[in-house]
Each structure stands twice: as C-alpha cells, then as structure tokens.
Amino acid sequence: AASSARKARHVLTVSECSRRDIIAAWDIAPSQVTAVPLAPDPSFAQVTDPIALARVRAVHDLPARYLIHVGSISPRRNIPRLLDAFAVARSAAPDLALLLAGRVEPPSLPLGPEVARRGLEKAVRIAGYLPEQDLPALYSGATGVVYPSLYEGFGLPVLEAMACGAPVLASDNSCFPEVAGAAALLVDPTRTEAIARGIVELISNASLRARLIALGRERAGTFSWERTARGTLAVYRKALAWPEAGP
C-alpha cells in the first residue's frame, strides 16, 4: 500500500485523521493527500412509527431500553472492554440490553464465550450481520449507540445513528473528535471505567441525551454524498490535471 501510494498522482482518503496518518506513515507530501468525508445514506432517518420500532425489538428480543453497536467485530472495535463496561453499567440499569450487530472477523474469537464469561447471556444479543433496512429503526429505538473503537478512519455508524436521532457514545481518539465533534459523548476507549461511566451518563442524564440528539441530527446533516462527490471529482481533476469546473 505504501509503495502504491507513493507512486500515485494523488491519494484520496476519508478524514483529516486518516490524511495525517497516511502522510506520517508513508512519508508522502501533504499536498499529495486530500481528505473527502463520507456521509450517511439518506435512508438513515429517524423512524417514529411505533409498530416499526416494536417489530425490530421483537425480532431481536430487545427490551424497551437497549444499546447498540454496529460494525464488524475485530480487535480494534474494542468489544471485550465494551462488554466489561456494559456489565458495570447494568448495575445501575439492570433492564438494559446490548445488541452487537456485525460479523465476527478473524482474529477475533466467537462472542458467545466472551458474553458467557461475564454472565451477560440474558442481556447481550449477538445479531451478526443485519440487513441495512433494519438499521434505521434499530438506531431510532436505541437508548444509545456505543462505539468505543480503538481506531477508525471515519466511523460511519456514528453519523448513521445521529441521523436517526440516537444519542452516541464514541471514542475520544482517531477520527471521532473530527467527525462527531460535540455531538457525541467521547470517552477514553482504553479505560473500561471511562466507557462504563459514559454509558451510565448516556442512559440516565435526560438533558444530555436531548442535547446529543439535537446536536447529532444537526451534525449528520452537514455531511452529504453530494459533498463527497464534488470533493472526489475535484481530486480526480487535480490528479489528471483537468481544469477546474466553472461556477
């Protein structure tokens, strides 16, 4: 990858965080790397129909209050610490469930034994890959979306959740301060107690939840695929030495 990047006319990436990492890791001139952010699909919008919300809860055996994590299960997704933190947080909210949506990718081990070892069999749902059409309702009905990843280049599920009106807890590292800004509760993903405190705050502080929901909708609205397409086209023109488009 480094060799290809150095030979390329230009390198296109998805965030300023990724741009900085590429420049540092591969010793590429900053002028040769451009960040163009992604965006949530327009299908990610708040679902308010109580029948639709009840249907997805029934399909996944979810109680009225649940957290959801969306994304493939890999070591950087920090699932063991999330499970530990969830176990702590349940002492303050014994009715709370956690839905883990995403395929398990090597070298991660199956989640069942990890859940059982913590005595969370009745509280954690292991959903595997979910159809995209189910996600807006699952996000919309969630008490919170949790994404304490150790590293992400962009973290698209965070914006998807915000677009659906869900309050979000995410990491304070990599791309999240850039992508989520003040619209998410950011915690140190390397400290289980910080994640647990964040979960308790997210589910119990009504004013915080309302603020994050409002800021999240606003934040998600600043990202669009039209903006992504225009930014990508500008990079292609630069790489191919095409003239800039007119107004």
Side-chain angles (χ1 to χ4, degrees), residues 5-237:
R6 292 190 190 102
K7 293 176 183 176
R9 292 189 183 184
H10 206 87
V11 177
L12 180 64
T13 188
V14 294
S15 67
E16 287 297 329
C17 167
S18 293
R19 178 177 178 271
R20 290 191 299 269
D21 291 346
I22 289 168
I23 291 168
W26 295 343
D27 192 26
I28 299 175
S31 61
Q32 293 301 108
V33 188
T34 299
V36 177
L38 305 178
D41 188 89
S43 64
F44 288 94
Q46 187 169 17
V47 176
T48 58
D49 179 8
I51 295 176
L53 296 173
R55 182 189 69 81
V56 293
R57 286 202 310 270
V59 166
H60 298 287
D61 187 28
L62 291 167
R65 297 213 302 168
Y66 65 91
L67 305 175
I68 180 172
H69 174 279
V70 176
S72 58
I73 310 302
S74 61
R76 67 187 170 90
R77 291 278 154 75
N78 207 22
I79 299 302
R81 281 199 188 94
L82 173 58
L83 290 173
D84 288 339
F86 176 68
V88 173
R90 281 195 83 235
S91 63
D95 61 329
L96 192 66
L98 171 63
L99 176 66
L100 299 174
R103 294 189 181 95
V104 177
E105 296 183 349
S108 291
L109 299 175
L111 288 173
E114 290 286 320
V115 170
R117 186 164 62 83
R118 295 165 173 83
L120 294 173
E121 299 96 325
K122 294 182 179 180
V124 175
R125 314 290 188 262
I126 302 171
Y129 176 80
L130 292 181
E132 188 171 296
Q133 60 265 28
D134 284 356
L135 290 177
L138 284 168
Y139 281 137
S140 298
T143 306
V145 173
V146 286
Y147 211 71
S149 177
L150 296 173
Y151 182 88
E152 295 293 329
F154 190 79
L156 189 55
V158 165
L159 287 183
E160 293 173 349
M162 290 177 175
C164 293
V168 173
L169 177 149
S171 301
D172 63 1
N173 67 8
S174 60
C175 69
F176 295 110
E178 171 189 348
V179 173
L185 178 60
L186 302 183
V187 301
D188 182 350
T190 66
R191 297 175 57 230
T192 299
E193 62 273 22
I195 303 171
R197 282 199 306 271
I199 290 174
V200 171
E201 184 75 1
L202 191 71
I203 66 176
S204 62
N205 187 329
S207 61
L208 173 67
R209 287 172 50 77
R211 179 170 63 84
L212 291 179
I213 289 169
L215 289 174
R217 285 199 192 98
E218 182 181 348
R219 184 70 174 173
T222 66
F223 294 81
S224 72
W225 282 111
E226 180 179 354
R227 174 188 173 190
T228 303
R230 290 182 181 278
T232 302
L233 181 58
V235 172
Y236 286 174
R237 285 197 172 105

